[in-house]
Amino acid sequence: MWIWLGGLILLLLLLIFAALISRIRLTLNVNKHSKDDTILLEVSALFGLFKYKYEIPMLKFENLKQGIQVKQQRQDNVMKGHHKEDEQQIDKDKVEGWLENWHRILDATHDLKVWMQRTFRRVRVKHLDWSTEVGLSDAVHTAQLSGALWGVKYSLVGLLSFYLKLLVPPELFVIPIYGRKPHFTTKMTCIAEIRCGYAIYAGLVLIARVLKVKGGVKKWQNILFKG
């Protein structure tokens, strides 16, 4: 009996160790072609046993007042799995609400920015591919726009490398299309990973930072469960 019990404990410890050294993988795909837009985020953990997919198959700009209409799809394989679809309108009021919540979260957490910087530095970007085709009716304007896009891409990648760890050089392309009507397509794929054990540790540190602030837990609850 004791041998069986010891074997089960050893097996449990091995499973916990394997889970801690496993990686959480995030795969982001962004694809825009003419009026078709697709944003897909996939998260997998525990050697693929847990999978979560968040997809935005439609982005429709209404006007400056109404903002953007966004269609969302969520899917996971937990238990029997869940699938949910909804639509929401992102306008000025919603963006202001997000900013207000962000400032409330900062007030409710001790040194949140420090925690974010340390956690993000543990994220390893294993692949980054971003290709864009652009064209205007005038060749000179096409060349100028292509140069501006190169500058934007290098600036964004530079900012990304400041917060995350890039394991491989990013593959960036800007392809000018001359002699055609206005044209814009872009496709990006980014794959990043973080160890599950560190993600759990970071979560515990975040909880400790919230507890350091008087009323921090209640503020977080109000933000997370608002509405």
Side-chain angles (χ1 to χ4, degrees):
M1 176 181 176
W2 290 109
I3 295 178
W4 281 102
L5 182 59
L8 289 175
I9 294 175
L10 179 61
L11 179 60
L12 180 61
L13 292 175
L14 289 175
L15 291 175
I16 294 175
F17 177 74
L20 292 176
I21 65 173
S22 67
R23 298 179 183 273
I24 301 174
R25 168 170 286 200
L26 301 94
T27 303
L28 175 65
N29 287 287
V30 179
N31 190 10
K32 177 176 179 56
H33 182 76
S34 187
K35 295 183 178 180
D36 297 327
D37 305 284
T38 303
I39 300 175
L40 175 62
L41 174 64
E42 295 180 291
V43 181
S44 63
L46 299 177
F47 305 102
L49 294 178
F50 169 80
K51 292 182 180 180
Y52 174 82
K53 182 169 71 173
Y54 176 79
E55 183 177 5
I56 299 179
M58 185 190 74
L59 285 169
K60 183 180 179 182
F61 178 73
E62 300 288 350
N63 51 56
L64 292 177
K65 183 178 181 180
Q66 293 182 326
I68 301 174
Q69 182 184 1
V70 180
K71 183 177 180 181
Q72 306 169 97
Q73 297 179 358
R74 302 178 182 87
Q75 184 176 354
D76 64 64
N77 66 340
V78 180
M79 302 299 287
K80 294 183 179 180
H82 305 87
H83 182 83
K84 182 179 180 182
E85 296 184 10
D86 57 41
E87 294 184 9
Q88 66 169 318
Q89 203 77 20
I90 300 179
D91 53 16
K92 180 182 177 182
D93 293 337
K94 184 170 287 293
V95 173
E96 289 178 350
W98 290 341
L99 292 175
E100 181 183 351
N101 285 338
W102 168 246
H103 290 297
R104 292 169 63 191
I105 287 175
L106 287 175
D107 292 336
T109 312
H110 176 70
D111 284 341
L112 177 60
K113 292 183 178 180
V114 174
W115 175 87
M116 292 178 63
Q117 291 175 355
R118 292 176 179 174
T119 303
F120 287 162
R121 290 304 298 176
R122 291 285 183 157
V123 178
R124 304 293 188 258
V125 178
K126 300 184 65 177
H127 177 80
L128 177 57
D129 185 344
W130 188 5
S131 177
T132 303
E133 294 182 1
V134 63
L136 297 173
S137 56
D138 184 271
V140 175
H141 293 164
T142 298
Q144 291 174 342
L145 181 57
S146 298
L149 285 175
W150 273 116
V152 170
K153 286 192 176 187
Y154 277 116
S155 297
L156 291 177
V157 170
L159 182 64
L160 183 70
S161 64
F162 179 78
Y163 291 101
L164 309 179
K165 181 79 171 181
L166 300 182
L167 298 183
V168 295
E171 299 180 13
L172 305 177
F173 304 95
V174 176
I175 304 172
I177 306 296
Y178 297 102
R180 289 176 54 180
K181 61 182 181 180
H183 172 81
F184 180 82
T185 65
T186 189
K187 184 176 182 180
M188 183 183 70
T189 300
C190 182
I191 301 175
E193 292 182 342
I194 184 173
R195 286 195 181 278
C196 187
Y198 189 84
I200 295 174
Y201 166 77
L204 295 175
V205 172
L206 178 61
I207 293 174
R209 289 180 179 273
V210 174
L211 293 174
K212 283 185 177 181
V213 179
K214 185 177 180 180
V217 175
K218 186 175 181 180
K219 291 178 181 179
W220 269 83
Q221 290 176 339
N222 292 334
I223 295 170
L224 294 176
F225 302 106
K226 182 180 179 180

